[in-house]
Amino acid sequence: MKSRRGLMAVALVLLAGCSSPAPGKVELAYWGWDPNMDKVVAKWNESHPDIHVTLTNPAGGDQLVSKLITAHQAGNGPDIAKVEYQSLPSLVAGGVVRDITEFTKDTVKEFDDPTLKPVRFEDKVYGVPQDVAPLMLFYRADLFQEYGLSAPKTWDEYAAAAKTIKAKGSTITNFDAADPGWFTGLVQQAGGDWWTTSGTSWKVDINGAQSKKVASYWEDLVKNGLVAKNPSFSPQWNKEMNDGTLVTWISGAWAPAQLGGIAPNTQGRWAVAPLPAWTEGNRDTGIWGGSATTVTTDSKHAKEAAAFASWLNTNADAVTDQIQQINVYPASTAGRSLPILQKPPAFFPNQANFYDIVKQVAPGARSFSMWGPNVTVTFSGYTNSFGAALQQGGPFGAALDSMQNASVADMKKLGFTVV
């Protein structure tokens, strides 16, 4: 991954040299947002009395990225941070996250190459993968049965089911203009690649044919009144998920950890299925989220911080706890065969084969070949342009054009060559 400015150049200058552990007990600050992660961290602290980790949750996702950048500029960032894969390139380029290659030579053997790809840049490792999050279809099995429906295998079947569900007084799902994660995953499933490089030049294809195919599909559902327009995780959305107004959720494999807070009255009523395909039998899907545990350049104890990151994501007990407490689908190869995965998540007690389905789907999950250096600008463009399109009834294709133009303009402003 290279550009005229050299995406990693700034980071490499800042990362020169290694810090030495301070004598005595080492204190590490860890920023993350996973529910119940404190229980996992407590086990580390119990078994590692000389290295104490303090977990705080200042924000999640993109908000955490902004806080990390601000803290780094002030020189008081944490030692360890949970970072979604799409945010990692910009944090590396900005010198916020450090190269931990020297501390993870044994750790990386626990992951396959596709899983390591999002944390490797120019053959250097900038994080330990925590989980993979293939996009799945979560649906209210009780209501589907009541309505005489089965899980749709294609997007055509999904659109047909939307009409039936609407006639029954419910709505199949919502179009979320506030969070681009799900839409990005759908574009990945369709074969899109928003960023690619050739030599020192970048190509940006946010408004390409695959993206417009996905956008056109959802625009039709919106215009026909078959999907809701409210954002996910809003109070209204939570209520509609809880009372059966909304009957499917296109989400990452991590969804069970969230449903208890979103729709507490629906435990045991949901099921998971592979994402509908554009062509029946195709097993491709995208991703929504997925994260790495990173060490920041502000840490004075990089070796110890990397040791915690490695333990968290490769130790059998730690990974088992994350599956049980957080419902992650583990990134480590061995983690995907742990006995805990023979049981379904607590919120899905009636689907004994829950993780078997995830395991079948995971190999077909594709991300972009790389994430761009200004994902935050692209994602903000999504929120602005699709939000306006929903409110004003504007074309979704034009929303993609707006995202494309904003992203390219920003990359050129930063000094990247875009062709």
Side-chain angles (χ1 to χ4, degrees):
M1 177 187 286
K2 298 179 184 295
S3 71
R4 184 166 66 84
R5 288 180 57 153
L7 180 58
M8 305 307 159
V10 176
L12 293 177
V13 171
L14 293 174
L15 300 179
C18 306
S19 58
S20 299
K25 189 174 184 178
V26 172
E27 293 285 346
L28 300 175
Y30 172 26
W31 284 7
W33 65 85
D34 288 318
N36 298 318
M37 180 58 82
D38 57 317
K39 298 175 182 177
V40 186
V41 171
K43 289 197 172 183
W44 162 272
N45 289 333
E46 183 179 353
S47 59
H48 296 78
D50 295 332
I51 306 173
H52 184 267
V53 175
T54 299
L55 172 68
T56 57
N57 178 2
D62 291 341
Q63 290 182 326
L64 183 63
V65 170
S66 297
K67 288 183 178 291
L68 276 173
I69 293 171
T70 300
H72 173 68
Q73 291 169 345
N76 59 3
D79 298 275
I80 306 154
K82 177 183 173 78
V83 174
E84 289 182 311
Y85 296 129
Q86 72 267 15
S87 301
L88 191 52
S90 60
L91 291 175
V92 172
V96 179
V97 170
R98 66 159 289 154
D99 170 16
I100 55 173
T101 307
E102 64 180 303
F103 307 125
T104 57
K105 292 178 181 177
D106 291 328
T107 303
V108 295
K109 298 174 185 177
E110 302 292 329
F111 304 88
D112 56 32
D113 288 339
T115 307
L116 284 171
K117 185 177 180 180
V119 301
R120 266 185 171 154
F121 308 106
E122 298 182 344
D123 295 324
K124 295 179 175 61
V125 176
Y126 288 89
V128 180
Q130 179 185 8
D131 65 324
V132 292
L135 213 56
M136 314 283 292
L137 178 67
F138 297 87
Y139 65 100
R140 281 287 297 272
D142 57 334
L143 295 178
F144 265 60
Q145 183 177 10
E146 179 181 332
Y147 300 157
L149 297 170
S150 57
K153 295 181 180 179
T154 67
W155 287 115
D156 286 342
E157 291 180 7
Y158 187 85
K163 296 178 181 178
T164 300
I165 290 167
K166 192 69 175 178
K168 298 290 186 179
S170 296
T171 303
I172 195 165
T173 194
N174 63 311
F175 184 94
D176 187 356
D179 191 324
W182 74 288
F183 184 87
T184 303
L186 294 180
V187 173
Q188 292 165 351
Q189 182 200 32
D193 245 335
W194 281 2
W195 296 276
T196 53
T197 58
S198 178
T200 59
S201 299
W202 287 76
K203 179 181 178 182
V204 182
D205 193 33
I206 294 168
N207 61 347
Q210 296 91 343
S211 299
K212 291 201 169 179
K213 176 181 179 179
V214 174
S216 177
Y217 175 87
W218 286 95
E219 184 176 4
D220 286 344
L221 293 180
V222 169
K223 287 186 173 180
N224 288 315
L226 298 175
V227 297
K229 299 180 182 180
N230 51 312
S232 304
F233 304 105
S234 64
Q236 180 186 355
W237 181 79
N238 288 354
K239 177 182 180 299
E240 292 175 347
M241 289 283 282
N242 197 43
D243 66 19
T245 300
L246 298 176
V247 300
T248 76
W249 185 22
I250 296 166
S251 188
W254 41 261
Q258 305 298 324
L259 280 170
I262 294 165
N265 296 340
T266 63
Q267 184 173 9
R269 300 179 185 179
W270 291 87
V272 68
L275 196 66
W278 289 105
T279 303
E280 187 169 2
N282 183 281
R283 302 185 71 174
D284 291 344
T285 188
I287 64 166
W288 183 0
S291 303
T293 309
T294 66
V295 178
T296 74
T297 55
D298 291 320
S299 177
K300 295 180 174 59
H301 306 289
K303 182 178 179 180
E304 291 83 358
F308 171 78
S310 297
W311 173 88
L312 182 67
N313 300 308
T314 63
N315 178 274
D317 290 337
V319 176
T320 296
D321 281 348
Q322 289 189 70
I323 296 168
Q324 184 174 13
Q325 301 289 351
I326 305 169
N327 291 135
V328 302
Y329 186 67
S332 66
T333 303
R336 299 176 192 178
S337 298
L338 287 169
I340 187 73
L341 292 176
Q342 296 175 11
K343 301 178 181 179
F347 211 76
F348 287 67
N350 300 327
Q351 193 170 16
N353 65 340
F354 180 96
Y355 284 115
D356 289 336
I357 294 174
V358 177
K359 190 171 185 177
Q360 292 167 15
V361 168
R366 72 176 299 274
S367 182
F368 297 133
S369 58
M370 62 179 62
W371 290 93
N374 61 341
V375 171
T376 54
V377 171
T378 302
F379 279 11
S380 294
Y382 172 89
T383 301
N384 294 334
S385 59
F386 276 94
L390 280 182
Q391 292 176 6
Q392 302 166 13
F396 283 14
L400 286 170
D401 293 339
S402 178
M403 290 173 62
Q404 170 83 9
N405 294 336
S407 299
V408 170
D410 183 69
M411 287 181 67
K412 289 181 176 179
K413 181 180 178 181
L414 292 172
F416 293 96
T417 300
V418 183
V419 296

